[in-house]
Amino acid sequence: MTQPSQNMVEARSVRKWFGSNEVLKSISLEVPRGQVLCLLGPSGSGKSTFLRCINHLETIDGGRISVDGELIGYTQRGDKLHEMKPKEIARQRRGIGMVFQRFNLFPHLTALDNIVEAPQGVSGVPKAQARERAVALLERVGLADRVDAYPAQLSGGQQQRVAIARALAMEPKLMLFDEPTSALDPELVGDVLDVMRDLAASGMTMIVVTHEIGFSREVADRMVFMDGGVVVESGKPADVLDNPQHERTQLFLESVL
């Protein structure tokens, strides 16, 4: 029996083109189980595209990505990769939660029903069980009193916390965050980051694309700086932030700190 990999995520030489533009140029990195990786870099550096490749929202044009030891989006026959059928891809995605810049909540559903939707409809969790878990998740993200509120009745920060609870409802083994606070007013950012800190402390494996430098320093086990579709620099947050080795990293940090 094979032993499970110590890494929750393994990316090997991942490449991605949009037309003639190569946006990921042979990206290789690993995320051990229970660790938090923060991805920094300017707009257009490939961070969000890489995140979307991890759960096969974007196909890859080279290399391979594994989550929890399973090749994502493809099966291997001989030395060739063949894209999985949509049903298999959907099965894989159930174990990978993703939180976007925009909250993508269903406007006609309450906070509770937004969270219940996928466990019931996708995983077949009984209604009472799904609702009980949804209530507990809303309490976990500090919204126990907003169970029956519709998205339009919630602030942006509250909507993002509902979106996090919705992702957690599928009991993922990996959480992906794509600049989860960038669309929020500054005073609403803290509550969302507090929820993410709690998640990290609980041992959730997380990959976070963010410009929140203070949060990254505090929570990340490892930090990667990307630019132009490549990993320019990686290491412990204190090393990357306080003693960057590459001029491009230094210039970026000077612009954001």
Side-chain angles (χ1 to χ4, degrees), residues 183-202:
L184 302 179
D185 292 332
E187 67 268 23
L188 302 177
V189 167
D191 289 338
V192 174
L193 294 181
D194 283 344
V195 171
M196 294 170 66
R197 286 187 186 95
D198 173 67
L199 265 184
S202 75

Side-chain angles (χ1 to χ4, degrees), residues 1-72:
M1 185 175 174
T2 57
Q3 292 296 314
S5 169
Q6 290 186 329
N7 295 318
M8 179 61 73
V9 180
E10 293 186 357
R12 295 281 177 265
S13 304
V14 174
R15 308 183 81 169
K16 174 67 181 176
W17 279 269
F18 289 123
S20 60
N21 180 27
E22 188 177 12
V23 293
L24 297 177
K25 303 173 181 176
S26 197
I27 299 287
S28 294
L29 54 80
E30 300 172 346
V31 185
R33 296 172 186 279
Q35 291 204 1
V36 178
L37 171 70
C38 283
L39 297 176
L40 302 182
S43 296
S45 59
K47 309 180 304 296
S48 293
T49 298
F50 176 67
L51 212 63
R52 291 170 65 85
C53 288
I54 293 173
N55 66 357
H56 206 67
L57 286 175
E58 296 286 356
T59 57
I60 59 176
D61 296 307
R64 56 200 297 140
I65 298 172
S66 297
V67 172
D68 200 18
E70 183 179 9
L71 188 62
I72 293 295

Side-chain angles (χ1 to χ4, degrees), residues 107-239:
H108 63 290
L109 297 181
T110 64
L112 183 78
D113 288 335
N114 262 284
I115 297 168
V116 164
E117 176 92 355
Q120 266 192 260
V122 177
S123 297
V125 175
K127 182 177 180 179
Q129 184 181 334
R131 290 179 68 86
E132 182 180 350
R133 177 158 173 75
V135 168
L137 286 168
L138 283 169
E139 183 173 358
R140 181 175 182 180
V141 300
L143 293 173
D145 59 338
R146 307 297 278 157
V147 169
D148 296 321
Y150 289 89
Q153 299 170 313
L154 301 171
S155 71
Q158 290 172 328
Q159 289 185 62
Q160 192 61 296
R161 283 185 278 157
V162 173
I164 293 172
R166 179 181 59 183
L168 292 174
M170 294 298 285
E171 301 186 326
K173 49 197 168 190
L174 170 67
M175 284 287 286
L176 308 175
F177 293 88
D178 188 7
E179 299 194 31
T181 59
S182 66
L184 302 179
D185 292 332
E187 67 268 23
L188 302 177
V189 167
D191 289 338
V192 174
L193 294 181
D194 283 344
V195 171
M196 294 170 66
R197 286 187 186 95
D198 173 67
L199 265 184
S202 75
M204 175 65 75
T205 310
M206 297 162 56
I207 303 178
V208 185
V209 173
T210 183
H211 292 297
E212 301 288 344
I213 302 296
F215 170 82
S216 300
R217 182 190 292 275
E218 176 190 349
V219 173
D221 296 287
R222 188 157 150 257
M223 183 175 287
V224 165
F225 174 70
M226 288 179 64
D227 189 32
V230 300
V231 172
V232 176
E233 190 159 353
S234 69
K236 293 182 177 179
D239 294 335

